[in-house]
Amino acid sequence: AQSVTQPDIHITVSEGASLELRCNYSYGATPYLFWYVQSPGQGLQLLLKYFSGDTLVQGIKGFEAEFKRSQSSFNLRKPSVHWSDAAEYFCAVGAVGGTASKLTFGTGTRLQVTL
Amino acid sequence: DTGVSQNPRHKITKRGQNVTFRCDPISEHNRLYWYRQTLGQGPEFLTYFQNEAQLEKSRLLSDRFSAERPKGSFSTLEIQRTEQGDSAMYLCASRSPAQGATETQYFGPGTRLLVL
């Protein structure tokens, strides 16, 4: 069964600083990987996704992520964080078997941005 | 495209009562998912519909839970005899079949349930 580990529960960065959120996955085949963001009391918004091809993927709001098969990682990065980026970030892996394509999420990383 | 909508947004109920939540997916999306998110955790898959057929259910979906999608459009999730452990955010997502498994799941704002 697939699983996702986000080792950092909470991260604090200063506005303007760079950001890297870690994600490690376990999946028996080529994974479909996603990063979602959740603001307080809200649903999840897709930031970016990886299926195949270029291992560096660009997303919305200036985010990018790099797929590293050898490390089973899909870390999210942003060169300069804005105060509005404060939220909870979830990494997810998609199950390809059958037709469900259900998502398995990590436990999330809460990002706090200081001014 | 008005997005995925869920009603109600918040529900407070007493233990033992039944509750029902509604999800309206994006209109052309024939795949619909329910997830549950407890405090401090990521969403966990509950069940999945393709059109009106419920094709997969998680072991998390006990016999007190039932989901329907009678006409392949909106879906309802009912919890009977609620327990305090049912307190969570219930998220609905929908997906187009256009690109198969790689297609994005779009999430609604969720229904937050509190069982007293």
Side-chain angles (χ1 to χ4, degrees), chain A residues 36 49 51 99-102, chain B residues 33 37 48 56 102 104-105:
Chain A
Y36 282 86
K49 58 187 178 183
F51 298 127
T99 58
S101 300
K102 60 188 175 185
Chain B
Y33 303 78
Q37 184 179 20
Y48 159 72
E56 187 170 349
T102 63
T104 299
Q105 290 186 27

Side-chain angles (χ1 to χ4, degrees), chain B residues 66-111:
Chain B
S66 63
E68 294 182 342
R69 196 181 181 197
K71 298 183 180 178
S73 56
F74 72 91
S75 175
T76 58
L77 178 67
E78 181 184 16
I79 309 174
Q80 296 181 328
R81 305 181 303 280
T82 52
E83 302 173 356
Q84 289 181 326
D86 297 331
S87 296
M89 173 83 90
Y90 290 85
L91 293 163
C92 176
S94 70
R95 177 172 75 85
S96 164
Q99 296 179 8
T102 63
E103 186 63 36
T104 299
Q105 290 186 27
Y106 292 89
F107 282 80
T111 295

Side-chain angles (χ1 to χ4, degrees), chain B:
Chain B
D1 180 356
T2 58
V4 179
S5 61
Q6 293 187 245
N7 288 288
R9 293 290 308 276
H10 303 273
K11 180 70 177 179
I12 300 175
T13 191
K14 293 182 179 179
R15 185 165 49 98
Q17 297 295 304
N18 299 345
V19 295
T20 300
F21 311 140
R22 175 177 171 129
C23 170
D24 287 88
I26 294 170
S27 59
E28 69 271 20
H29 288 186
N30 68 342
R31 268 77 160 167
L32 187 147
Y33 303 78
W34 285 99
Y35 292 83
R36 182 174 70 185
Q37 184 179 20
T38 54
L39 203 60
Q41 300 297 316
E44 295 174 289
F45 171 78
L46 291 179
T47 190
Y48 159 72
F49 290 85
Q50 181 174 319
N51 299 311
E52 66 276 8
Q54 187 174 18
L55 297 184
E56 187 170 349
K57 293 193 290 186
S58 161
R59 59 178 174 76
L60 293 175
L61 214 64
S62 75
D63 55 7
R64 295 185 298 105
F65 288 70
S66 63
E68 294 182 342
R69 196 181 181 197
K71 298 183 180 178
S73 56
F74 72 91
S75 175
T76 58
L77 178 67
E78 181 184 16
I79 309 174
Q80 296 181 328
R81 305 181 303 280
T82 52
E83 302 173 356
Q84 289 181 326
D86 297 331
S87 296
M89 173 83 90
Y90 290 85
L91 293 163
C92 176
S94 70
R95 177 172 75 85
S96 164
Q99 296 179 8
T102 63
E103 186 63 36
T104 299
Q105 290 186 27
Y106 292 89
F107 282 80
T111 295
R112 184 170 295 281
L113 172 67
L114 177 61
V115 181
L116 301 176

